[in-house]
Amino acid sequence: KNDRHDLYTKDHWLWDGFDAESYRDRLGVLGWYKNQTDYNKGCSFDELFRDPNAKPTPGNRLSKVPVFKQCDPPWSSVSYDTGSVCSHGCGPSALAMVLAYYGHNTNPGKVAGEAMSVGGNCGGCGSNWGMFGRVAKLYGMGESDIGIDEALKRLENGEPIIAATSLYGGHFIALGDKKGDTISVSGSARSDPDAITEAKLRSIGSAYFYVHP
């Protein structure tokens, strides 16, 4: 488990169970690589996923939605799923951002504990999709699973959305708003982009969660 290649799938090298303090600043986040060659080159998230067509304007970065990085203290080492918030907690981190946007005093560590208490983890893969609604209910909030077209309309109205994406083999991000073709992003991974285009979201997104009062 301490070797740099903990998990291998047909298409991806997934770096799981890593030493976050040693590696996160050198390679960015959770070490997703397209192949062994990219790993050896030390390709960063920016090289693999940065959307060159997304150009956020000043102040566009999620507007009022706060940003929580899952590998930041004090919650990075909080237990979650089969690891920690740092290694498996993108879901609770994304939800914490949206809850905080609506005025709730919370953080990724607190949400991770709540997610575990309601069966929101998935036994090695982080969070299941039912987690968002179950934890939102604890805060008196509602949650709806929506399609991308409704998600885009909500974003145009400035309403945050949580998206399940294919980044790093599976990663939740919070989306803050949509201005023109640019969608602002709040990601819990240190090298998540500030923004993506609608086309990029359509290519990487698989599910969308609308958490609301």
Side-chain angles (χ1 to χ4, degrees):
K1 290 290 293 182
N2 292 324
D3 188 63
R4 68 186 185 183
H5 302 308
D6 290 342
L7 298 175
Y8 176 72
T9 65
K10 182 177 68 174
D11 299 314
H12 312 122
W13 285 96
L14 299 178
W15 186 10
D16 191 19
F18 62 97
D19 177 353
E21 291 297 325
S22 298
Y23 293 115
R24 68 184 183 188
D25 291 327
R26 181 164 64 90
L27 294 173
V29 48
L30 298 192
W32 191 100
Y33 295 97
K34 290 182 177 178
N35 51 47
Q36 177 80 49
T37 301
D38 281 345
Y39 183 95
N40 291 337
K41 288 194 302 182
C43 290
S44 67
F45 170 88
D46 290 342
E47 292 173 283
L48 294 173
F49 292 114
R50 182 70 70 186
D51 187 346
N53 297 314
K55 298 178 181 179
T57 58
N60 189 42
R61 190 171 194 274
L62 266 202
S63 56
K64 299 178 183 178
V65 179
V67 177
F68 293 126
K69 295 300 184 183
Q70 66 192 80
C71 288
D72 280 352
W75 49 74
S76 61
S77 60
V78 172
S79 295
Y80 184 63
D81 196 39
T82 57
S84 66
V85 170
C86 183
S87 63
H88 290 75
C90 58
S93 298
L95 180 54
M97 296 178 208
V98 175
L99 291 171
Y101 169 82
Y102 285 110
H104 294 282
N105 183 17
T106 193
N107 60 62
K110 185 173 186 293
V111 173
E114 294 161 342
M116 292 282 284
S117 74
V118 297
N121 63 300
C122 59
C125 60
S127 304
N128 59 56
W129 289 1
M131 182 273 289
F132 300 102
R134 293 175 203 157
V135 175
K137 188 176 181 180
L138 300 178
Y139 289 82
M141 302 279 284
E143 184 273 331
S144 303
D145 298 356
I146 61 177
I148 188 168
D149 291 333
E150 182 177 348
L152 292 170
K153 290 179 181 178
R154 296 285 181 185
L155 290 167
E156 287 174 351
N157 291 332
E159 300 174 89
I161 298 293
I162 296 170
T165 76
S166 58
L167 300 179
Y168 325 122
H171 183 53
F172 293 106
I173 56 176
L175 307 173
D177 56 23
K178 182 176 185 289
K179 298 177 180 178
D181 192 42
T182 298
I183 300 168
S184 58
V185 174
S186 181
S188 59
R190 189 162 298 279
S191 294
D192 276 342
D194 290 348
I196 56 177
T197 60
E198 177 182 332
K200 187 71 170 182
L201 179 61
R202 288 183 180 276
S203 72
I204 65 173
S206 56
Y208 305 90
F209 310 91
Y210 173 46
V211 176
H212 53 88

